Amino acid sequence: MPLLQKNAKLYTVEDIYALPEGVRAELVEGHIYYMTPPSRRHQKILLSLSRKIADYIDSQKGDCEVDIAPFAVFLNADDKNYVEPDISVICSKDKLTEKGCAGAPDWILEIVSPSSRRMDYYTKLFKYRTAGVREYWLVDPDKNRILVYDFEKEDTGDYTFSETVRSGIFEGLSIDFSGFDV
Protein backbone atom coordinates (compact mmCIF):
# COMPACT_ATOMS: atom_id res chain seq x y z
CA MET A 1 0.00 0.00 0.00
CA PRO A 2 1.33 3.42 -0.78
CA LEU A 3 1.51 4.74 2.74
CA LEU A 4 2.30 8.43 3.05
CA GLN A 5 5.28 9.14 5.25
CA LYS A 6 3.77 11.56 7.79
CA ASN A 7 6.40 14.23 8.16
CA ALA A 8 6.68 17.93 7.41
CA LYS A 9 9.98 17.38 5.62
CA LEU A 10 9.95 17.30 1.84
CA TYR A 11 12.02 14.50 0.36
CA THR A 12 13.97 14.21 -2.88
CA VAL A 13 14.90 11.43 -5.27
CA GLU A 14 18.17 11.16 -3.35
CA ASP A 15 16.15 10.04 -0.31
CA ILE A 16 14.43 7.35 -2.40
CA TYR A 17 17.81 5.98 -3.49
CA ALA A 18 18.99 6.03 0.15
CA LEU A 19 16.18 3.70 1.30
CA PRO A 20 17.27 0.30 2.61
CA GLU A 21 17.61 -2.50 0.07
CA GLY A 22 14.21 -4.00 -0.77
CA VAL A 23 12.15 -1.02 0.41
CA ARG A 24 10.11 0.43 -2.44
CA ALA A 25 8.55 3.86 -2.40
CA GLU A 26 7.38 6.58 -4.73
CA LEU A 27 7.83 10.32 -4.39
CA VAL A 28 5.08 12.78 -5.29
CA GLU A 29 5.63 16.49 -4.70
CA GLY A 30 8.32 15.65 -2.16
CA HIS A 31 6.17 13.23 -0.14
CA ILE A 32 7.24 9.60 0.19
CA TYR A 33 4.65 6.86 -0.35
CA TYR A 34 5.81 3.39 0.67
CA MET A 35 4.70 0.45 -1.44
CA THR A 36 3.77 -3.08 -0.44
CA PRO A 37 4.77 -6.07 -2.56
CA PRO A 38 2.27 -6.92 -5.31
CA SER A 39 0.10 -10.02 -5.19
CA ARG A 40 0.58 -13.01 -7.47
CA ARG A 41 -2.64 -12.06 -9.30
CA HIS A 42 -1.29 -8.54 -9.86
CA GLN A 43 1.92 -9.96 -11.31
CA LYS A 44 0.06 -12.34 -13.64
CA ILE A 45 -1.94 -9.44 -15.08
CA LEU A 46 1.21 -7.35 -15.35
CA LEU A 47 3.01 -10.08 -17.28
CA SER A 48 0.06 -10.72 -19.64
CA LEU A 49 -0.46 -7.05 -20.43
CA SER A 50 3.20 -6.22 -20.91
CA ARG A 51 3.67 -9.25 -23.14
CA LYS A 52 0.69 -8.32 -25.35
CA ILE A 53 1.87 -4.72 -25.70
CA ALA A 54 5.50 -5.67 -26.39
CA ASP A 55 4.47 -8.36 -28.90
CA TYR A 56 2.32 -5.82 -30.75
CA ILE A 57 5.12 -3.25 -30.86
CA ASP A 58 7.57 -5.91 -32.08
CA SER A 59 5.15 -7.12 -34.77
CA GLN A 60 4.88 -3.55 -36.06
CA LYS A 61 8.66 -3.10 -35.87
CA GLY A 62 7.99 -0.14 -33.59
CA ASP A 63 10.52 1.90 -31.70
CA CYS A 64 8.64 2.13 -28.43
CA GLU A 65 9.95 0.38 -25.33
CA VAL A 66 7.87 -1.42 -22.71
CA ASP A 67 9.20 -1.34 -19.15
CA ILE A 68 7.66 -2.93 -16.07
CA ALA A 69 7.97 -2.07 -12.39
CA PRO A 70 10.23 -1.54 -10.68
CA PHE A 71 11.22 1.00 -13.34
CA ALA A 72 12.01 4.59 -12.38
CA VAL A 73 10.01 7.38 -13.98
CA PHE A 74 11.08 10.94 -13.21
CA LEU A 75 7.91 12.76 -14.28
CA ASN A 76 9.07 16.34 -13.96
CA ALA A 77 12.35 18.14 -14.36
CA ASP A 78 12.83 18.19 -10.61
CA ASP A 79 13.94 15.91 -7.80
CA LYS A 80 10.56 15.82 -6.03
CA ASN A 81 8.67 13.34 -8.26
CA TYR A 82 9.60 9.70 -8.78
CA VAL A 83 7.12 6.93 -9.59
CA GLU A 84 7.26 3.27 -10.59
CA PRO A 85 4.26 2.59 -12.85
CA ASP A 86 3.35 -1.06 -13.36
CA ILE A 87 3.83 -0.68 -17.12
CA SER A 88 5.45 2.25 -18.93
CA VAL A 89 5.55 2.56 -22.70
CA ILE A 90 8.12 5.07 -23.90
CA CYS A 91 8.33 6.03 -27.56
CA SER A 92 10.94 8.79 -27.28
CA LYS A 93 14.31 7.09 -26.84
CA ASP A 94 15.84 10.42 -25.77
CA LYS A 95 13.85 10.14 -22.50
CA LEU A 96 15.55 6.86 -21.57
CA THR A 97 18.60 6.87 -19.32
CA GLU A 98 20.39 4.18 -17.34
CA LYS A 99 18.29 5.23 -14.32
CA GLY A 100 14.91 5.06 -16.09
CA CYS A 101 12.67 7.52 -17.92
CA ALA A 102 13.32 11.25 -17.67
CA GLY A 103 9.92 12.74 -18.40
CA ALA A 104 6.47 11.38 -19.07
CA PRO A 105 6.05 7.98 -20.74
CA ASP A 106 3.60 7.90 -23.64
CA TRP A 107 1.39 5.26 -22.03
CA ILE A 108 1.12 4.14 -18.44
CA LEU A 109 -0.88 1.20 -17.10
CA GLU A 110 -1.44 0.73 -13.38
CA ILE A 111 -2.88 -2.49 -11.98
CA VAL A 112 -4.90 -1.38 -8.99
CA SER A 113 -4.42 -3.17 -5.69
CA PRO A 114 -6.52 -2.50 -2.60
CA SER A 115 -3.52 -0.72 -1.10
CA SER A 116 -2.84 1.46 -4.17
CA ARG A 117 -6.43 2.40 -5.06
CA ARG A 118 -6.38 6.01 -3.81
CA MET A 119 -2.94 6.67 -5.24
CA ASP A 120 -3.75 5.20 -8.68
CA TYR A 121 -7.24 6.70 -9.07
CA TYR A 122 -6.48 10.20 -7.83
CA THR A 123 -2.90 11.21 -7.16
CA LYS A 124 -1.32 9.47 -10.14
CA LEU A 125 -4.18 10.33 -12.49
CA PHE A 126 -3.55 14.02 -11.84
CA LYS A 127 0.26 13.71 -11.95
CA TYR A 128 0.29 11.70 -15.16
CA ARG A 129 -2.12 14.03 -16.92
CA THR A 130 -0.24 17.19 -15.98
CA ALA A 131 3.17 15.64 -16.74
CA GLY A 132 2.21 14.88 -20.35
CA VAL A 133 1.38 11.16 -20.36
CA ARG A 134 -0.67 10.56 -23.51
CA GLU A 135 -2.73 7.60 -22.27
CA TYR A 136 -3.39 6.10 -18.82
CA TRP A 137 -5.12 2.80 -18.06
CA LEU A 138 -6.35 1.81 -14.63
CA VAL A 139 -6.78 -1.96 -14.57
CA ASP A 140 -8.81 -2.82 -11.47
CA PRO A 141 -9.38 -6.58 -11.12
CA ASP A 142 -11.28 -6.23 -7.83
CA LYS A 143 -13.85 -3.99 -9.51
CA ASN A 144 -13.82 -5.89 -12.83
CA ARG A 145 -13.00 -2.58 -14.47
CA ILE A 146 -10.57 -0.96 -16.88
CA LEU A 147 -10.65 2.84 -17.02
CA VAL A 148 -8.96 4.38 -20.05
CA TYR A 149 -7.90 8.01 -20.10
CA ASP A 150 -6.86 9.25 -23.54
CA PHE A 151 -5.45 12.63 -22.55
CA GLU A 152 -4.63 13.60 -26.14
CA LYS A 153 -8.23 13.23 -27.30
CA GLU A 154 -9.63 14.25 -23.90
CA ASP A 155 -11.64 11.05 -23.87
CA THR A 156 -12.33 8.37 -21.27
CA GLY A 157 -13.63 4.83 -21.51
CA ASP A 158 -14.96 2.44 -18.89
CA TYR A 159 -14.72 -1.30 -19.65
CA THR A 160 -15.10 -4.64 -17.89
CA PHE A 161 -12.97 -7.77 -17.96
CA SER A 162 -15.42 -9.29 -20.44
CA GLU A 163 -14.57 -6.67 -23.09
CA THR A 164 -11.84 -5.83 -25.56
CA VAL A 165 -10.09 -2.51 -24.98
CA ARG A 166 -8.46 -0.58 -27.79
CA SER A 167 -5.33 1.49 -27.31
CA GLY A 168 -5.53 5.12 -28.37
CA ILE A 169 -1.81 5.36 -29.02
CA PHE A 170 -1.47 2.21 -31.11
CA GLU A 171 -4.30 2.13 -33.61
CA GLY A 172 -4.15 -1.61 -34.26
CA LEU A 173 -3.72 -2.77 -30.67
CA SER A 174 -6.72 -4.19 -28.83
CA ILE A 175 -6.52 -6.24 -25.67
CA ASP A 176 -9.18 -8.84 -24.95
CA PHE A 177 -9.55 -8.94 -21.20
CA SER A 178 -12.00 -11.86 -21.24
CA GLY A 179 -9.10 -14.31 -21.24
CA PHE A 180 -7.47 -12.85 -18.15
CA ASP A 181 -7.52 -15.11 -15.13
CA VAL A 182 -8.81 -12.73 -12.47
Side-chain angles (χ1 to χ4, degrees):
M1 169 177 187
L3 298 172
L4 174 62
Q5 173 68 40
K6 300 272 186 188
N7 192 333
K9 176 185 176 185
L10 291 181
Y11 294 90
T12 67
V13 171
E14 194 173 294
D15 295 307
I16 293 291
Y17 281 104
L19 291 172
E21 185 73 28
V23 175
R24 288 185 53 215
E26 294 180 309
L27 185 68
V28 177
E29 299 301 326
H31 297 283
I32 290 180
Y33 294 85
Y34 290 97
M35 300 163 62
T36 58
S39 69
R40 183 170 165 260
R41 176 176 161 197
H42 179 282
Q43 293 302 89
K44 285 175 71 175
I45 294 169
L46 172 71
L47 179 60
S48 292
L49 283 171
S50 58
R51 184 180 310 151
K52 287 177 188 301
I53 295 165
D55 287 350
Y56 174 81
I57 292 169
D58 289 347
S59 75
Q60 300 301 304
K61 301 192 182 349
D63 289 331
C64 300
E65 180 172 306
V66 179
D67 291 289
I68 60 171
F71 177 75
V73 173
F74 306 91
L75 282 175
N76 305 93
D78 63 26
D79 64 349
K80 304 271 188 271
N81 293 282
Y82 165 97
V83 292
E84 293 182 2
D86 288 314
I87 302 172
S88 301
V89 179
I90 301 110
C91 298
S92 302
K93 297 290 186 188
D94 60 326
K95 290 183 180 180
L96 295 169
T97 70
E98 281 305 306
K99 288 193 170 194
C101 179
D106 294 271
W107 184 14
I108 289 179
L109 296 89
E110 293 283 10
I111 300 150
V112 180
S113 301
S115 60
S116 72
R117 186 170 308 287
R118 183 175 193 73
M119 185 77 155
D120 293 338
Y121 273 95
Y122 300 105
T123 306
K124 287 184 175 180
L125 172 64
F126 175 76
K127 287 304 294 180
Y128 293 160
R129 184 172 170 259
T130 57
V133 171
R134 295 167 55 199
E135 187 168 346
Y136 177 41
W137 286 21
L138 279 158
V139 179
D140 193 335
D142 287 344
K143 292 188 178 237
N144 186 34
R145 181 180 204 191
I146 301 100
L147 284 173
V148 174
Y149 294 91
D150 185 333
F151 297 131
E152 285 187 320
K153 296 177 184 151
E154 297 182 8
D155 192 23
T156 59
D158 192 352
Y159 305 90
T160 69
F161 273 78
S162 63
E163 295 179 86
T164 297
V165 183
R166 180 176 300 214
S167 167
I169 292 177
F170 300 112
E171 209 171 289
L173 175 60
S174 295
I175 298 175
D176 180 3
F177 278 84
S178 66
F180 279 61
D181 182 22
V182 296

